[in-house]
Amino acid sequence: MDLFTREDERRLNNLTLLVYILQGISLFTGLPMVVAVIINYLKRDDCRGTLYESHFDWQIRTFWFCLLGSVLGYALLWLFVGLAIWGLIWLWGLYRVLRGILALNDGKALPH
């Protein structure tokens, strides 16, 4: 973005919060996480060079690791380890969403 206005910042803040909300809902339903990551990829260029870039990267990594953990958990259901993996991935996803929302609320970037 050449000129980053207060309106641009408000818009990116709202969009970032929306993605966290969708990810939080996904912990119970699954599907909104796909919508959230699509938003991340479509709007990624808009947040380059801002603190929101770290949030988008955080959200994208959350999606991919949750997907990987879910698939791994499903594959290992027959060993009865899958449910434990799903539980751990759920807790990890909850942590990522809450940590992201708190950092966003404080106006802080997240680590890469």
Side-chain angles (χ1 to χ4, degrees):
M1 255 180 219
D2 294 331
L3 295 172
F4 191 71
T5 65
R6 188 170 282 267
E7 178 64 25
D8 293 330
E9 184 170 356
R10 186 191 62 74
R11 185 179 49 80
L12 283 175
N13 188 70
N14 290 344
L15 191 60
T16 305
L17 181 59
L18 172 65
V19 171
Y20 281 125
I21 290 169
L22 289 172
Q23 286 183 332
I25 292 169
S26 293
L27 294 172
F28 302 98
T29 63
L31 186 60
M33 184 82 81
V34 175
V35 174
V37 80
I38 289 170
I39 291 170
N40 283 136
Y41 279 115
L42 289 175
K43 300 305 256 178
R44 198 174 200 182
D45 288 339
D46 291 353
C47 68
R48 294 238 189 261
T50 70
L51 76 93
Y52 302 105
E53 182 176 13
S54 71
H55 285 273
F56 272 45
D57 291 343
W58 180 267
Q59 292 167 336
I60 289 169
R61 282 193 311 273
T62 300
F63 168 80
W64 287 113
F65 280 109
C66 283
L67 180 63
L68 177 66
S70 296
V71 170
L72 183 64
Y74 182 76
L76 295 176
L77 269 177
W78 64 278
L79 289 175
F80 304 107
V81 193
L83 289 177
I85 291 172
W86 279 347
L88 290 173
I89 286 295
W90 190 88
L91 287 172
W92 182 81
L94 179 63
Y95 162 77
R96 301 271 297 188
V97 168
L98 291 176
R99 181 169 178 201
I101 288 173
L102 292 173
L104 180 67
N105 187 59
D106 292 341
K108 295 180 180 175
L110 289 163
H112 288 287

